[in-house]
Amino acid sequence: AALRRIVDTSTQLGHVINDLLAMARTDMESLALAREPLALEPLVSDVVAQASAMADAQGVVLYIEPPSAAAESPRVSGDAQR
């Protein structure tokens, strides 16, 4: 599990670095975003997983309260890579 988090985090950092390089080379307005519907729950789970180690070091517990079974999973529009 820890190795998977390291790999996922390094992949995301690679995307961030590529974005920063793209913005440095072009005007910020010309950065193309691939907008698509995204399920919010996996995005939040990823953020919590990435922040958990820092939170644990500070004595903070992060958790996600699952939605009720009847609730539909919230969706947002965005670029999954950014």
Side-chain angles (χ1 to χ4, degrees), residues 16-40:
V16 170
I17 290 168
N18 288 336
D19 290 346
L20 291 171
L21 288 170
M23 284 189 281
R25 291 184 186 126
T26 62
D27 292 333
M28 194 161 165
E29 291 177 15
S30 66
L31 181 62
L33 297 176
R35 290 186 156 252
E36 59 185 295
L38 302 169
L40 192 56

Side-chain angles (χ1 to χ4, degrees), residues 39-79:
L40 192 56
E41 192 172 340
L43 296 174
V44 172
S45 293
D46 288 347
V47 170
V48 169
Q50 291 174 21
S52 289
M54 288 189 296
D56 289 344
Q58 297 296 318
V60 175
V61 176
L62 297 178
Y63 66 93
I64 300 171
E65 188 171 319
S68 67
E72 186 176 320
S73 179
R75 299 186 74 74
V76 295
S77 177
D79 188 325

Side-chain angles (χ1 to χ4, degrees), residues 5-26:
R5 271 194 234 154
I6 291 169
V7 170
D8 291 344
T9 301
S10 65
T11 300
Q12 283 191 311
L13 287 174
H15 291 300
V16 170
I17 290 168
N18 288 336
D19 290 346
L20 291 171
L21 288 170
M23 284 189 281
R25 291 184 186 126
T26 62

